[in-house]
Amino acid sequence: MSNLEVQPEAILCGAGARHPGIELLLPRQVPLGGPRSMNVRRTLPQKQRSLIGAWCFLDHYGPDPVGDAGGMKVPRHPHTGLQTVSWLFSGEIEHRDSAGFHAIVRPGELNLMTAGRGISHSEYSTAQTGMLHGAQLWIALPDAARHMPATFSHYRPEPLSGEGFSLSVFLGGLGVVTADGTDRYSASPVSTHTELVGAEIRLQPGASVRITLKERHEHGVLLDTGALRIGMDELCADQLAYLPPGSQEITLTAGSHPARALLIGGEPLNERILMWWNFVGRTHEEIAGYRRQWQAEIGAEPAEPGIKRFGEFPGGGPAPLPAPALPTVRLRPRG
Ligand code: MN
């Protein structure tokens, strides 16, 4: 992937942040797999950070002309113990899952899939999609909720707009303080299993927005386009800034181009999770069990008795994705 900006802005992106506690996390390119598959920029998890609140995974992609890059073609695959958020800036993705939900994911709309004890789904960019651009995020479910039945929620937030800014809060709630000192607040009605926040922020060139934060929460800001100053730190496109708990507010200021960012955050999960392939669990044995069950349910390994964890799926589509081999060393939890 390449920068598609016609007039890229020259910004100095230091390796280290100036504000104490802020970490700048750089993306790595990861192919989604399969022939002519697209690449994504992954900022979570990484060596120095596994979680921001319960957010445990962040893939950012595009803008990709679907004709060149092939678009998103992810056949049926499983998940456990997590929720997925698909958030698009442009294009459309068709989602289908074993809990019986079928949705067209569109820009500016939350599509939240809760895997709970197990789900399988497929994701394909639609034929009408010219340019695909967005993010997929995962949320680890806390122990109390991770065995719940699979479900799906859809929500289209009404943007909260002010002088030069617009905020679409798709999970949790977020406040802004406007230039005349007025407090305004926007909240999503979609319930979460730990305290979380997720929002898209748009700023006009040079504009600022003062956002109030829950002091107990940690936060991350992923910059999609433009340049952004967070307090004294400059954030470049595709970078994720981590803000530790303890801040009551942040001021985001756009550079000389329009800026668009995602803000994520929440109360620290305080649970050690084990993430491997598409599964979130707690122990090596649990993950190995999910893998064995998935392989059995798609006919790649001998069938196992009992209820299908990953549900029934409409037939006729491309073959499901088999799980990779487990590493020869034991998987160890993080967080
Ligand atoms: Mn998935």
Side-chain angles (χ1 to χ4, degrees):
M1 251 168 316
S2 172
N3 189 350
L4 296 178
E5 275 185 283
V6 182
Q7 293 177 288
E9 217 171 332
I11 302 283
L12 256 182
C13 296
R18 288 196 284 178
H19 188 277
I22 290 192
E23 293 167 23
L24 293 181
L25 304 172
L26 307 181
R28 59 186 191 283
Q29 296 276 344
V30 181
L32 273 190
R36 295 181 74 232
S37 89
M38 55 188 272
N39 279 319
V40 297
R41 300 181 289 275
R42 189 162 296 163
T43 42
L44 263 189
Q46 48 180 286
K47 266 209 182 73
Q48 64 263 52
R49 182 147 303 280
S50 309
L51 291 158
I52 298 179
W55 298 94
C56 61
F57 183 92
L58 175 41
D59 269 359
H60 177 211
Y61 50 84
D64 277 337
V66 164
D68 300 349
M72 184 176 285
K73 294 191 189 82
V74 190
R76 182 186 177 205
H77 60 281
H79 289 290
T80 60
L82 57 78
Q83 294 176 296
T84 64
V85 169
S86 299
W87 188 263
L88 289 181
F89 304 123
S90 69
E92 284 180 348
I93 294 169
E94 184 172 12
H95 160 99
R96 210 179 281 281
D97 69 44
S98 59
F101 295 93
H102 176 223
I104 302 292
V105 179
R106 296 192 172 90
E109 302 181 4
L110 171 74
N111 286 274
L112 176 72
M113 181 184 80
T114 303
R117 69 181 303 275
I119 198 168
S120 53
H121 74 142
S122 63
E123 295 152 292
Y124 291 91
S125 41
T126 63
Q128 301 92 286
T129 297
M131 196 70 86
L132 192 63
H133 189 185
Q136 176 156 141
L137 306 100
W138 297 356
I139 299 161
L141 287 168
D143 199 47
R146 68 191 186 100
H147 303 292
M148 66 181 282
T151 186
F152 190 90
S153 323
H154 172 266
Y155 169 61
R156 188 159 56 86
E158 194 55 51
L160 170 62
S161 302
E163 219 171 304
F165 72 83
S166 167
L167 239 76
S168 292
V169 182
F170 51 83
L171 277 179
L174 215 51
V176 295
V177 184
T178 55
D180 61 1
T182 316
D183 286 308
R184 294 171 66 197
Y185 192 75
S186 178
S188 165
V190 178
S191 65
T192 61
H193 300 276
T194 52
E195 284 182 30
L196 287 174
V197 65
E200 180 188 295
I201 299 166
R202 290 170 186 250
L203 288 169
Q204 287 168 15
S208 282
V209 63
R210 217 173 120 193
I211 298 172
T212 52
L213 303 174
K214 290 204 174 77
E215 216 174 331
R216 298 178 292 107
H217 288 191
E218 50 188 352
H219 295 87
V221 179
L222 174 81
L223 184 60
D224 173 59
T225 43
L228 197 66
R229 215 172 61 233
I230 305 176
M232 284 158 53
D233 289 295
E234 296 283 355
L235 192 60
C236 285
D238 305 336
Q239 292 183 342
L240 175 68
Y242 168 76
L243 293 79
S247 297
Q248 291 180 333
E249 63 168 63
I250 47 166
T251 299
L252 304 178
T253 306
S256 55
H257 291 278
R260 178 168 55 199
L262 291 178
L263 175 82
I264 57 172
E267 55 178 337
L269 183 64
N270 288 327
E271 288 184 31
R272 289 174 72 79
I273 64 166
L274 211 166
M275 212 166 126
W276 179 79
W277 192 42
N278 294 316
F279 303 131
V280 172
R282 295 297 183 271
T283 63
H284 177 93
E285 286 68 28
E286 203 175 46
I287 297 287
Y290 295 153
R291 182 191 178 280
R292 208 168 48 238
Q293 271 177 286
W294 171 248
Q295 294 295 89
E297 288 181 31
I298 63 170
E301 283 174 24
E304 296 202 337
I307 299 164
K308 283 188 176 177
R309 180 179 290 276
F310 301 104
E312 298 291 343
F313 201 77
L321 294 178
L326 272 175
T328 48
V329 294
R330 280 182 67 79
L331 301 166
R332 301 211 331 255
R334 301 191 290 175

